[in-house]
Amino acid sequence: DLQEPTRKMSTSVGADSGRVYLLETEKETRKKFGSAVTDSGREVRRGEGKEGVANLIGIYAVATGKTEEEVEAEFEGSGYGDFKKAVADAAVEFLAPVRERYPEIREDEGEIERILAEGASRAREIAAGTLADVRAAMGVGRDLRHDSFHQVTAFSTKEVNEFGAPSLITRMTNDVTQV
């Protein structure tokens, strides 16, 4: 958040002036960076009490592909005004491809739906294996790979103390997946 740099980014908290939107105008983006909260100093560096400057350094680093150390070195001796202008320029340039292609992409509603459905399908495939492993390890739920319910394996306190919970979970997983 450009106005409250110690706050985590949120769409429900904070002012619009602290957020940069992908589809806002370049002028709006530049204005937001120009009014970004910093501190009363002049040094472009990270440190205690310099959360606003650190936030801008991070944004500039991402937008330009530089490290935060390189950003600090680049702006050594510069004031906040020059730095904020450079951050705004970098952000505008970074967002330009999205802003330029948006109208073209948004025009084809069917293609958007197809891409979303394809992504959801891939996500389900990836998650299914992990979810099955978790269910097997916990001994609960349906194993969709084998279309059967897991049986809960009970261990005595002596076994838990002797083998440890992680190795027993591994044993449970191996027992269930061999079914």
Side-chain angles (χ1 to χ4, degrees):
D1 190 309
L2 296 172
Q3 294 302 309
E4 298 181 51
T6 58
R7 182 188 306 248
K8 289 195 183 257
M9 201 61 160
S10 168
T11 56
S12 59
V13 180
D16 273 352
S17 60
R19 297 186 201 106
V20 174
Y21 293 100
L22 290 175
L23 302 178
E24 68 188 9
T25 66
E26 286 185 22
K27 183 178 178 182
E28 290 170 313
T29 299
R30 290 179 192 285
K31 182 177 180 183
K32 289 177 181 182
F33 280 106
S35 65
V37 169
T38 51
D39 56 71
S40 59
R42 287 190 37 86
E43 295 179 77
V44 178
R45 64 173 178 77
R46 296 162 292 158
E48 190 174 327
K50 298 181 80 60
E51 292 82 5
V53 176
N55 189 27
L56 293 173
I57 288 171
I59 292 167
Y60 187 82
V62 168
T64 61
K66 296 178 180 180
T67 66
E68 292 180 341
E69 292 77 15
E70 290 171 328
V71 174
E72 289 174 332
E74 179 179 340
F75 290 95
E76 189 173 340
S78 296
Y80 290 160
D82 292 338
F83 178 56
K84 286 181 179 183
K85 182 181 179 320
V87 176
D89 290 344
V92 165
E93 185 177 328
F94 184 77
L95 296 172
V98 173
R99 290 175 172 169
E100 289 166 6
R101 288 214 48 225
Y102 179 79
E104 170 192 330
I105 293 168
R106 186 68 183 115
E107 205 173 88
D108 191 349
E109 190 78 28
E111 180 65 2
I112 293 171
E113 291 300 324
R114 186 195 67 73
I115 291 168
L116 289 173
E118 184 180 304
S121 176
R122 280 195 314 224
R124 274 191 297 279
E125 288 173 21
I126 292 167
T130 302
L131 187 56
D133 291 343
V134 169
R135 285 179 172 168
M138 294 176 64
V140 296
R142 182 175 283 285
D143 182 343
L144 301 176
R145 293 178 297 191
H146 300 102
D147 198 30
S148 62
F149 282 97
H150 296 296
Q151 296 178 357
V152 177
T153 306
F155 295 101
S156 68
T157 306
K158 179 182 175 206
E159 287 176 305
V160 171
N161 289 336
E162 185 177 336
F163 298 108
S167 72
L168 291 177
I169 289 173
T170 301
R171 254 179 60 197
M172 283 172 41
T173 303
N174 290 339
D175 290 347
V176 171
T177 55
Q178 291 174 9
V179 171

